[in-house]
Amino acid sequence: MRLMVMGDFHYSRMESGSAEMLAARDEAFSTMLGKFLEWDADLHISLGDLTHEGHPEELEFVFDSIESSGRPFIHVLGNHDTLSLPKAEILTITGQQRYHAIDREEAMLLFIDTTKEMNADDWGGEMEEEQLQWLQAQLETSGDKPVFIFGHHPVYATTERSTNEKGSIHPGIKMKEALKKKEGFGFYFCGHNHVNSIVQQDGWYYVQTAACLDNPAFRVVDLSEGKVKISHIPIDDNALADHITKFHKGMPGFEPTEKPHGEETDRSLVVDVMQSV
């Protein structure tokens, strides 16, 4: 099984952008999305903030490109995606689900929604009780097969910056207690904080991925012969960085992140899931 994972993409309509900025935006985002979709995989996954403000034209641009590629794609909602429209309208445009499970022979994949709806003042994460109970039930039924969870916000006090204000699912929500329902190996993939970070805690591997505009790259997750291999793949395009610098500081509400790459141990990981936890 191979999964392609994209961090925060932040495609922006840039309503007040100059002609030069818009041209650079089109080149940069088309290049990044094209490189991501070139790879063959069972699923291509966005960890949220696929768009910058969640406007219909932003969602439609990205999804039109993805649909034309024919790649199977799953979009996890991010806080920027939910700024402008109710979630029900977003899902109508994208044809996606708010949260759901894919149970495969080799692993269970869980896609969760950690976002607030149309709340520009609070970009922190949450999870309602119904979804939390659903998550616990899925973990209990997964048995000892590996579980991969994909959400936008990190769990509090796990990856880099997850203890910052609004940098995680709210610490009052008992996510770690829910995750303890899992027997065997668990992998929790998130974005939000724009820094690569991999942390192991209590049988879980927390894998946070930087934003594409700060660190043009994506992750490849392979599960084969009893091992999970997570690789960090930089996008190979000499002009990409120049295109990005022409517009990214002009996006309202977006600031480049210092040191988004993390350490080498934050970019790759190999886990033998045939061993006992």
Side-chain angles (χ1 to χ4, degrees), residues 29-269:
F29 283 110
S30 295
T31 295
M32 290 189 290
L33 195 56
K35 294 290 186 181
F36 180 65
L37 295 170
E38 277 181 3
W39 286 67
D40 287 325
D42 295 275
L43 284 174
H44 286 67
I45 300 165
S46 161
L47 291 171
D49 286 0
L50 186 61
T51 64
H52 190 53
E53 295 177 278
H55 291 295
E57 53 265 50
E58 293 177 345
L59 291 162
E60 288 164 359
F61 169 84
V62 180
F63 274 87
D64 285 350
S65 299
I66 292 165
E67 287 172 7
S68 66
S69 76
R71 298 296 193 191
F73 180 76
I74 293 181
H75 172 220
V76 170
L77 289 171
N79 55 290
H80 278 261
D81 298 317
T82 60
L83 284 176
S84 300
L85 298 172
K87 292 181 185 180
E89 290 189 29
I90 297 170
L91 300 179
T92 297
I93 292 171
T94 65
Q96 299 278 310
Q97 301 177 69
R98 194 165 73 84
Y99 61 91
H100 64 109
I102 298 176
D103 194 2
R104 296 175 59 109
E105 182 179 353
E106 64 270 47
M108 178 177 279
L109 312 180
L110 303 176
F111 304 89
I112 61 174
D113 172 24
T114 64
T115 63
K116 297 177 172 66
E117 186 170 75
M118 301 178 72
N119 189 337
D121 296 324
D122 187 353
W123 52 90
E126 67 179 10
M127 181 174 288
E128 77 280 12
E129 185 61 27
E130 180 181 348
Q131 186 184 178
L132 189 61
Q133 290 181 5
W134 170 87
L135 176 61
Q136 292 180 136
Q138 296 296 322
L139 293 173
E140 289 172 349
T141 59
S142 68
D144 59 0
K145 72 170 63 175
V147 166
F148 297 83
I149 298 177
F150 302 89
H152 181 65
H153 293 83
V155 176
Y156 181 75
T158 56
T159 51
E160 187 72 20
R161 302 184 180 178
S162 64
T163 56
N164 289 2
E165 184 180 7
K166 304 174 187 175
S168 71
I169 297 171
H170 193 280
I173 297 172
K174 298 180 180 180
M175 283 296 295
K176 287 186 178 178
E177 288 189 17
L179 297 180
K180 287 179 181 178
K181 301 293 184 181
K182 172 62 188 155
E183 297 179 10
F185 288 89
F187 299 81
Y188 184 100
F189 294 86
C190 64
H192 188 60
N193 287 325
H194 293 198
V195 177
N196 288 322
S197 178
I198 298 178
V199 174
Q200 181 184 7
Q201 285 183 11
D202 303 324
W204 279 85
Y205 292 87
Y206 297 92
V207 183
Q208 181 174 282
T209 298
C212 294
L213 291 176
D214 294 323
N215 177 209
F218 41 80
R219 294 193 188 272
V220 181
V221 182
D222 286 306
L223 173 55
S224 178
E225 298 180 348
K227 290 187 178 180
V228 172
K229 180 180 179 182
I230 300 174
S231 306
H232 177 265
I233 310 296
I235 295 173
D236 183 17
D237 186 280
N238 293 332
L240 181 56
D242 183 55
H243 290 315
I244 290 173
T245 58
K246 289 179 180 178
F247 71 87
H248 71 322
K249 292 183 179 179
M251 293 167 54
F254 184 90
E255 293 186 9
T257 299
E258 294 184 6
K259 300 179 180 179
H261 301 83
E263 303 297 330
E264 180 60 35
T265 53
D266 297 312
R267 296 193 285 276
S268 61
L269 178 70

